[in-house]
Amino acid sequence: MKQILILLALFTTFGAVRAELLSVTLRADGLTCSMCSLSVHKALARLDFVAEVQPNIADTTFTVKFRPGQPVSLDRVAAAVRDAGFSVGQLRLTFQFDHQQVRDDLHLASGGLVLHFVSTGPRILDGPVELRLVDRGFVPDAEQKRWESAIRHACYRSGTVGECCPAGAPGQRVYHVTL
Amino acid sequence: MRALLAIAAVAWILAGAAAAQELYVQGEAASNGPRGVWRLRASASFAGEDAASSLKLYYSATQDWQFSFAAHADTAGDPAFRGGGFAAKYRFLSRDSHQNHFRAAVFAQADAATGDTGADDFLMGVRRGGGAGLIGTWLSGRTAVSGTAGYYRAVRRDGREGLEGNVLPFSVSVGRLLLPREYRSYDQTNLNLYFELVGVHADGSTRLDLAPALQFIVRSRSKIDLSVRAPLAGDLPGGTERWVFQVAYEYYFF
């Protein structure tokens, strides 16, 4: 009975989720050489939920694929890049969507991640679609400040589900994404 | 010859300001190695009939803290231990953007030596005393420029030749990634070219050396440095006009 109630609660808060996380592509900033890229690669590959890292050394970008069934932490992905000595300049999540309706302020839970859509007009997403993460630590500082002034929700500053969020458990990590 | 070297150095630095590499041969960049990774550097130096070797071990405990340990030996005849040191570096500023960064760090070091610690020895890292300093490093694409300024309190052994009292070491380093033109894999050998000005000011006199170097990065895990350090100016105790040739190998234990 309890499980049914939890399921019911999830459906009422997030709606029927039609999205699956396929991969993450991030750009590491502050480096040029292949030795530095290898440092980032090794740090990402050491994460327990990472299955594969595909580098593009020329662009200092890395596509990360995940182990099935393992919860993914984007904060740990960013921390791995920082441990290597650099920072995340851009991070894109590639989701497989199945006729998923999205709009501004929609909260969506998929693959253990709670996503909060910002600056997004009403659309229906189908097939593989890239979402760009706009939280602190995933965009350059100057861009992050622009988002901070554009997004008035307290959850953007705290990074966790707050009173401003229509869904999710208080204190739960929430990532802000846009198309 | 000295004038030509000086002009080449200035021209290079000016060119660098308009133009990657900060894995310097003589100087130390503000950046640290990856967290939890050890690095071992072995170097051999030759000047006339003299020969010396150094081993240096680096460890980055966090993204901001790096520690290093050094040991030096005279290897002209039977190897003789000449001294060693410990240094800690803290990166306190990091501004990153795409293939660019500006970083700043402070460092402190303490050294011990068994014999002479003159100007030549000091520039080789054979010192007695302790000091601290500041490093600023700017990376832009394929070029990196770095400057270091410090203070060192040198202690001379009784009956030995050496620097004593207040010493101001400094360096300006410029590095450029020449090859590969385009990155495709970690296995491509990288070629970096460096020009470094390293110096020390003490007792109202300044010793200044120019140190060009070629660096090969092999499989993105190890470095081979070939360098020469040529004195440009200075008449500090223990300083000679000999050119110092150095070969070094460094491995990253990822």
Side-chain angles (χ1 to χ4, degrees):
Chain A
M1 184 60 188
K2 191 179 173 187
Q3 287 172 331
I4 293 170
L5 282 175
I6 289 171
L7 274 175
L8 196 64
L10 279 174
F11 272 97
T12 51
T13 52
F14 294 113
V17 176
R18 294 165 175 171
E20 179 194 356
L21 179 61
L22 298 178
S23 64
V24 156
T25 298
L26 66 90
R27 192 188 75 208
D29 276 3
L31 66 152
T32 308
C33 77
S34 61
M35 192 176 247
C36 303
S37 288
L38 185 63
S39 303
V40 174
H41 188 131
K42 295 273 184 189
L44 291 170
R46 270 196 292 272
L47 295 170
D48 51 7
F49 52 84
V50 168
E52 185 185 350
V53 180
Q54 295 169 347
N56 181 332
I57 306 169
D59 289 340
T60 65
T61 58
F62 302 83
T63 297
V64 182
K65 293 183 175 172
F66 304 105
R67 297 182 191 282
Q70 294 258 28
V72 171
S73 166
L74 300 177
D75 289 325
R76 287 182 63 200
V77 167
V81 176
R82 285 196 301 274
D83 281 349
F86 307 100
S87 35
V88 175
Q90 189 179 83
L91 189 144
R92 292 176 181 275
L93 304 139
T94 302
F95 273 89
Q96 177 72 34
F97 286 102
D98 177 18
H99 211 66
Q100 173 68 52
Q101 286 190 329
V102 294
R103 55 175 168 73
D104 210 23
D105 281 342
L106 174 77
H107 284 60
L108 191 88
S110 177
L113 302 174
V114 178
L115 306 178
H116 179 169
F117 282 77
V118 294
S119 222
T120 305
R123 280 181 65 176
I124 292 176
L125 303 179
D126 261 315
V129 176
E130 280 192 344
L131 305 177
R132 194 158 66 86
L133 201 55
V134 299
D135 285 302
R136 181 191 298 275
F138 297 94
V139 290
D141 288 347
E143 185 184 342
Q144 191 268 330
K145 285 187 172 65
R146 286 200 296 275
W147 282 108
E148 195 166 286
S149 58
I151 303 170
R152 295 173 182 277
H153 301 282
C155 63
Y156 182 76
R157 285 153 192 81
S158 68
T160 55
V161 170
E163 288 179 1
C164 58
C165 297
Q172 192 175 5
R173 182 66 165 114
V174 57
Y175 295 104
H176 296 80
V177 295
T178 189
L179 285 169
Chain B
M1 186 61 189
R2 283 185 181 186
L4 278 176
L5 288 171
I7 290 166
V10 171
W12 179 264
I13 289 167
L14 292 175
Q21 298 308 324
E22 56 178 60
L23 305 166
Y24 300 114
V25 176
Q26 308 289 340
E28 171 84 28
S31 301
N32 296 324
R35 185 175 77 91
V37 171
W38 292 86
R39 288 190 283 145
L40 182 65
R41 178 179 179 82
S43 61
S45 303
F46 308 93
E49 293 176 349
D50 290 339
S53 296
S54 293
L55 268 182
K56 204 162 180 183
L57 187 63
Y58 299 85
Y59 180 70
S60 296
T62 70
Q63 57 182 310
D64 295 325
W65 280 101
Q66 178 177 283
F67 303 101
S68 61
F69 311 86
H72 310 284
D74 189 338
T75 48
D78 290 336
F81 179 68
R82 292 203 58 201
F86 168 78
K89 185 174 65 165
Y90 176 69
R91 186 186 73 170
F92 64 88
L93 178 71
S94 186
R95 293 279 179 270
D96 290 353
S97 60
H98 189 212
Q99 298 185 336
N100 271 264
H101 68 225
F102 179 75
R103 289 168 178 188
V106 288
F107 66 91
Q109 65 184 109
D111 306 280
T114 59
D116 294 342
T117 49
D120 283 359
D121 305 305
F122 192 92
L123 290 170
M124 296 278 289
V126 179
R127 305 173 181 184
R128 193 156 180 260
L134 183 70
I135 310 171
T137 304
W138 175 57
L139 167 78
S140 176
R142 298 172 83 87
T143 299
V145 183
S146 189
T148 301
Y151 169 79
Y152 198 90
R153 183 75 183 175
V155 181
R156 182 175 58 83
R157 281 188 88 93
D158 287 343
R160 293 288 194 169
E161 186 177 48
L163 299 179
E164 194 166 22
N166 299 331
V167 176
L168 304 174
F170 60 90
S171 68
V172 177
S173 304
V174 181
R176 184 162 177 86
L177 170 66
L178 298 181
L179 294 172
R181 295 266 170 91
E182 190 178 350
Y183 276 121
R184 290 186 307 277
S185 88
Y186 295 123
D187 291 339
Q188 288 172 290
T189 298
N190 290 205
L191 176 63
N192 292 323
L193 177 63
Y194 294 95
F195 278 92
E196 297 181 77
L197 285 168
V198 290
V200 54
H201 180 82
D203 286 334
S205 180
T206 300
R207 159 72 180 267
L208 182 65
D209 287 11
L210 174 66
L214 279 177
Q215 180 180 69
F216 300 88
I217 298 180
V218 182
R219 301 193 67 191
S220 304
R221 296 162 189 277
S222 60
K223 301 188 297 188
I224 298 167
D225 301 335
L226 304 172
S227 68
V228 59
R229 193 159 47 74
L232 293 178
D235 55 355
L236 288 173
T240 65
E241 295 195 349
R242 291 182 307 183
W243 287 29
V244 179
F245 297 88
Q246 188 187 70
V247 56
Y249 178 76
E250 186 170 328
Y251 188 83
Y252 285 60
F253 295 90
F254 280 116

